[in-house]
Amino acid sequence: MERKIRKAAVLGSGVMGAGIAAHLANVGIPVYLLDIVPRELTEEESKKGLTLADAAVRNRIAQAGKDRLLKEKPAPLYDKQYIERITVGNFEDHLSLLAEVDWIIEVVVENLAIKQKVFAMIEEVRQPGTIVSSNTSGVSINEMSEGRSEEFRKHFLGTHFFNPPRYLKLLEIIPGTDTDPAIVDFMMQFGERVLGKGTVLCKDTPNFIANRIGTYGLQVSIQEMVKAGLGVDEVDALTGPVIGRPKSATFRTLDVVGLDTYVHVANNVKNKSSDEEEKAVFEIPDFVLQMVERRWIGQKAGQGFFKQIKTAQGKEIHAIDTATLEYRPSVKAKFPSLDAAKTAKALPEKLKALVYGKDKGSEFVWNVFKKVLLYAADKTYEIADDIVAVDQAMKWGFGWELGPFETWDAIGVEKSVARMREEGERIPALVEELLASGKTSFYQKQEGRLSVFSIGGKYKEVESKKEKINLAALKEQGKLIKKNAGAALIDLGDGVACLEFTSPNNALGMDVLQMANFAAEEVKKNYLGLVIGNQGKNFCVGLNLAMALMEAQDENWFELDMLVTNFHKAARAIRYMHRPVVAAPFGMTLGGGVEVSYLADRVQASAETYLGLVEVGVGLLPGGGGTKEMLFRAMENVPQGGTVPVDPFPFVARAFETIAMAKVSTSGHEAINLGYLRPTDRISVNPDHLLYDAKQLVLEMDRAGYTPPVPRKVRVIGDTGYATLRQNVYAMKKSGYISDHDELIASKIAYVLSGGNLPAGTEVTEDYILELEKQAFLELIKTPKSQQRMQHMLTKNKPLRN
């Protein structure tokens, strides 16, 4: 019988426990969230006359964890209504519920004795075959399961989520000595396919993979900072995006994690290591211990390595001086190597500029890189099965753009090792074996297929799962059909093509429209269907704003008219090409990105898709069919066939509010609630599977006997509906909520959604609404205030309220 997880239980409702419960709820799994019973009443409970016997008191701790999920930012839930999938309880009254579940996850305090006690309780009630796991970040899996039955140990393993569980991709799977390999395989697959994670198999060693390497890197960074006499702000400038790391870099990351948590994780390695050299690296510096003692432990305490200070000029971020433990204004890092790295285009060039520079900043980066790379190479086969697992763990858990071995390839293995030898470093056997074999990189690529060096001196092909379509690899394999400066058409196989955007930020310009027209003709002749998708940072941020502003400032109204007309023409070609089309949005999908999604018959969206028609922010309205489509979708929702006709005005008013307030969804699921997606559209939890899922949907539609859409008509709310919407806009203006220009933009949106100066109930075509939309767009872009908003967005990257 195929194993399935239909229901789960999370034991421990702290930040991680509640976060894991939320993510299980996100993917449709009902979950029990249990915690300890309080031993004392709160003041509020006493005032209400409650006693320690009342359920509200006994479940208080778990309930608080659940309630917190609705307040946290970023939101742990895809949709707030999913919180109903979480049922709270406590360890004393509700432990028997564990007999109902398929997976029990322990997320209590990181204390071996306490965890062992919890597992003893679990074993008394769990059904044979139920998977039990610990979310520990470093406690030994084998030690935790000591004293448990063979059947329990067979189904026991570590499942280490990273915080926050919804957003961080890594899920470390750590089997114990007695864990059934079939259970390990199942959890690896379940984590990837159902939870949407990047699953990495780890060995039962201190801190597993990501925290072992990551904490080592943080410790080395602190020690090298002290040696070099640098400030925490300077180190963050050197260890952030410029080297392919998150914006939080080193010390902002520690502030987010919490210095208390960090010290615990570092001590875990120090206390379990038998290597004196390794122990020394994990020794916590005195100034960090003093900060923890003072409770300056980071973001949750209001101060850590950084502190927000109120001054006469406003709020400023001050950095701690680690020598005096006093805060000072942040300084800008100034190193020639840093400047050179910032001007370099590709990450390998940025890394080389920093690592091989000739100043204090580059010396710091080299010393950190050198030690982390040597450590990773030395420990890889102790903590993992291969170097791929190490690289993936660091990318998925710590947000590194390149893992340690990918980094080594980027800076040059031969060159860097030669320098390491000169500096008296011991080179690990893995690296010596690589160079002795005559090879100069850990990874090799041939015809888009990646292979990796392993012990024994051979390269092994990196497993490529069918669900992980890689557009860059397909191009290398000769699957490119055609490309231009802003887009490409790629053969995905099985008769499906992919229209990929490749312009900066995947913005829409004439080159993209030209490729869309070509794609429509090519797919109609030679393919079963089309996916619109890409693998950039974001799906599409909309119109090429700089181009549009330039045309407006030059008063090239004809060119702007043609731009909108050509967008409509390309949209029509895609929409009615007699082949199924599926859009695969992800990340930021704004303005024209939403309108591109509207070209498709169906949408296969990533769970992490932030859709929004945000044109109001730049003084415009959606002009590529977005306003029109929101109207038609609103009218689709009006109930039909009843004895009393339903007034369509509230449905149109909701669409108006969504556009006028530039609402952006916080997930693909919420986009359905906002009307950007339909309930029939689908969501992919794992972003790596998005294009594959979209392709399968195209094939599914083809097999079902695809019928192309026909042009639609709609009955508009007309001049009376427009008057009501205008009245609401005027009231907001009089109340001071919106400016004169906001009023103008909102009025244009209302005019288009109402159908213009027509009697209510008049039936109109899509083309009619599109023409209204285009004229409104062109009228707005001619106004100086809209152009000011566009300019402000381009220069400041935030909306201007004028």
Side-chain angles (χ1 to χ4, degrees), residues 622-642:
T627 311
K628 178 268 297 180
E629 190 62 27
M630 288 295 281
L631 169 62
F632 274 78
R633 291 183 178 214
M635 297 304 282
E636 285 173 8
N637 292 326
V638 179
Q640 302 293 328

Side-chain angles (χ1 to χ4, degrees), residues 162-269:
F162 277 62
N163 192 32
R166 168 182 165 181
Y167 297 96
L168 278 191
K169 186 172 179 176
L170 181 61
L171 174 60
E172 292 182 319
I173 303 291
I174 313 103
T177 305
D178 300 323
T179 311
D180 183 348
I183 297 296
V184 178
D185 290 343
F186 170 78
M187 290 305 293
M188 290 285 286
Q189 296 297 322
F190 173 81
E192 181 182 329
R193 292 178 179 168
V194 179
L195 300 179
K197 297 299 175 189
T199 52
V200 171
L201 189 62
C202 307
K203 294 181 181 177
D204 187 18
T205 55
N207 288 8
F208 314 127
I209 298 176
N211 277 341
R212 181 76 170 268
I213 303 292
T215 307
Y216 183 90
L218 291 167
Q219 280 290 99
V220 166
S221 297
I222 293 172
Q223 291 158 9
E224 291 299 327
M225 173 190 72
V226 173
K227 283 183 194 173
L230 296 173
V232 295
D233 37 11
E234 291 176 300
V235 168
D236 272 10
L238 291 163
T239 57
V242 73
I243 63 167
R245 305 285 171 83
K247 287 181 182 177
S248 55
T250 299
F251 291 101
R252 279 185 178 82
T253 295
L254 288 170
D255 275 355
V256 171
V257 169
L259 271 68
D260 51 344
T261 302
Y262 172 71
V263 168
H264 171 80
V265 173
N267 281 335
N268 193 49
V269 179

Side-chain angles (χ1 to χ4, degrees), residues 656-712:
F656 167 76
E657 182 182 296
T658 300
I659 299 172
M661 294 182 68
K663 291 184 178 180
V664 178
S665 71
T666 60
S667 69
H669 298 77
E670 194 189 25
I672 296 172
N673 297 337
L674 291 176
Y676 291 132
L677 298 181
R678 290 187 171 101
T680 53
D681 291 327
R682 295 181 181 177
I683 308 291
S684 293
V685 181
N686 192 323
D688 292 342
H689 295 186
L690 180 61
L691 288 179
Y692 175 83
D693 293 342
K695 175 184 168 182
Q696 298 311 305
L697 183 52
V698 167
L699 294 172
E700 182 183 314
M701 293 165 70
D702 176 68
R703 286 192 298 270
Y706 174 72
T707 304
V710 295
R712 298 166 293 173

Side-chain angles (χ1 to χ4, degrees), residues 88-334:
V88 300
N90 65 72
F91 292 165
E92 294 179 18
D93 302 328
H94 304 108
L95 212 61
S96 61
L97 294 174
L98 301 187
E100 300 175 12
V101 306
D102 307 297
W103 180 22
I104 301 165
I105 313 154
E106 169 273 310
V107 201
V108 302
V109 65
E110 290 283 80
N111 177 294
L112 177 61
I114 293 174
K115 287 180 183 291
Q116 287 177 330
K117 185 178 177 182
V118 169
F119 293 127
M121 291 193 307
I122 291 171
E123 188 162 27
E124 289 180 11
V125 293
R126 72 177 272 276
Q127 291 293 311
T130 302
I131 295 171
V132 182
S133 71
S134 172
N135 183 63
T136 179
S137 59
V139 179
S140 168
I141 302 304
N142 287 310
E143 288 179 16
M144 278 191 278
S145 61
E146 281 179 6
R148 305 278 61 79
S149 69
E150 182 183 347
E151 199 278 337
F152 184 101
R153 296 197 309 274
K154 186 178 175 183
H155 294 87
F156 179 70
L157 71 167
T159 51
H160 181 211
F161 289 81
F162 277 62
N163 192 32
R166 168 182 165 181
Y167 297 96
L168 278 191
K169 186 172 179 176
L170 181 61
L171 174 60
E172 292 182 319
I173 303 291
I174 313 103
T177 305
D178 300 323
T179 311
D180 183 348
I183 297 296
V184 178
D185 290 343
F186 170 78
M187 290 305 293
M188 290 285 286
Q189 296 297 322
F190 173 81
E192 181 182 329
R193 292 178 179 168
V194 179
L195 300 179
K197 297 299 175 189
T199 52
V200 171
L201 189 62
C202 307
K203 294 181 181 177
D204 187 18
T205 55
N207 288 8
F208 314 127
I209 298 176
N211 277 341
R212 181 76 170 268
I213 303 292
T215 307
Y216 183 90
L218 291 167
Q219 280 290 99
V220 166
S221 297
I222 293 172
Q223 291 158 9
E224 291 299 327
M225 173 190 72
V226 173
K227 283 183 194 173
L230 296 173
V232 295
D233 37 11
E234 291 176 300
V235 168
D236 272 10
L238 291 163
T239 57
V242 73
I243 63 167
R245 305 285 171 83
K247 287 181 182 177
S248 55
T250 299
F251 291 101
R252 279 185 178 82
T253 295
L254 288 170
D255 275 355
V256 171
V257 169
L259 271 68
D260 51 344
T261 302
Y262 172 71
V263 168
H264 171 80
V265 173
N267 281 335
N268 193 49
V269 179
K270 186 184 79 171
N271 296 335
K272 293 188 177 182
S273 176
S274 56
D275 181 338
E276 291 304 317
E277 193 176 323
E278 184 179 35
K279 275 179 176 286
V281 174
F282 282 92
E283 192 70 47
I284 304 296
D286 284 343
F287 70 84
V288 174
L289 294 175
Q290 287 182 53
M291 289 173 71
V292 172
E293 195 175 315
R294 298 182 189 190
R295 299 302 295 167
W296 296 356
I297 55 175
Q299 201 167 274
K300 57 191 174 186
Q303 67 185 100
F305 288 107
F306 295 94
K307 182 180 181 182
Q308 193 176 75
I309 306 287
K310 287 184 181 178
T311 68
Q313 290 74 38
K315 292 177 181 176
E316 290 181 6
I317 301 296
H318 284 208
I320 201 164
D321 183 321
T322 57
T324 64
L325 290 189
E326 293 177 356
Y327 289 91
R328 54 160 177 78
S330 294
V331 298
K332 187 175 181 180
K334 295 179 181 177

Side-chain angles (χ1 to χ4, degrees), residues 52-67:
L52 289 173
D54 286 304
V57 175
R58 295 177 71 78
N59 297 339
R60 182 220 306 154
I61 295 173
Q63 186 64 51
K66 178 179 175 179
D67 293 344

Side-chain angles (χ1 to χ4, degrees), residues 584-745:
F586 62 93
M588 302 306 290
T589 300
L590 305 175
V594 177
E595 291 170 322
V596 166
S597 296
Y598 287 162
L599 307 185
D601 299 286
R602 299 279 294 279
V603 173
Q604 182 79 45
S606 171
E608 299 302 340
T609 308
Y610 316 112
L611 295 106
L613 291 168
V614 296
E615 286 83 352
V616 168
V618 290
L620 303 172
L621 92 173
T627 311
K628 178 268 297 180
E629 190 62 27
M630 288 295 281
L631 169 62
F632 274 78
R633 291 183 178 214
M635 297 304 282
E636 285 173 8
N637 292 326
V638 179
Q640 302 293 328
T643 53
V644 179
V646 176
D647 180 10
F649 179 82
F651 297 86
V652 177
R654 184 169 178 240
F656 167 76
E657 182 182 296
T658 300
I659 299 172
M661 294 182 68
K663 291 184 178 180
V664 178
S665 71
T666 60
S667 69
H669 298 77
E670 194 189 25
I672 296 172
N673 297 337
L674 291 176
Y676 291 132
L677 298 181
R678 290 187 171 101
T680 53
D681 291 327
R682 295 181 181 177
I683 308 291
S684 293
V685 181
N686 192 323
D688 292 342
H689 295 186
L690 180 61
L691 288 179
Y692 175 83
D693 293 342
K695 175 184 168 182
Q696 298 311 305
L697 183 52
V698 167
L699 294 172
E700 182 183 314
M701 293 165 70
D702 176 68
R703 286 192 298 270
Y706 174 72
T707 304
V710 295
R712 298 166 293 173
K713 292 182 179 181
V714 68
R715 294 191 184 278
V716 296
I717 59 173
D719 46 12
T720 55
Y722 172 63
T724 306
L725 287 175
R726 261 311 266 117
Q727 191 175 9
N728 294 341
V729 172
Y730 179 73
M732 290 187 73
K733 164 68 174 44
K734 291 296 286 182
S735 301
Y737 288 113
I738 60 174
S739 68
D740 289 344
H741 198 55
D742 290 327
E743 182 185 20
L744 174 64
I745 299 165

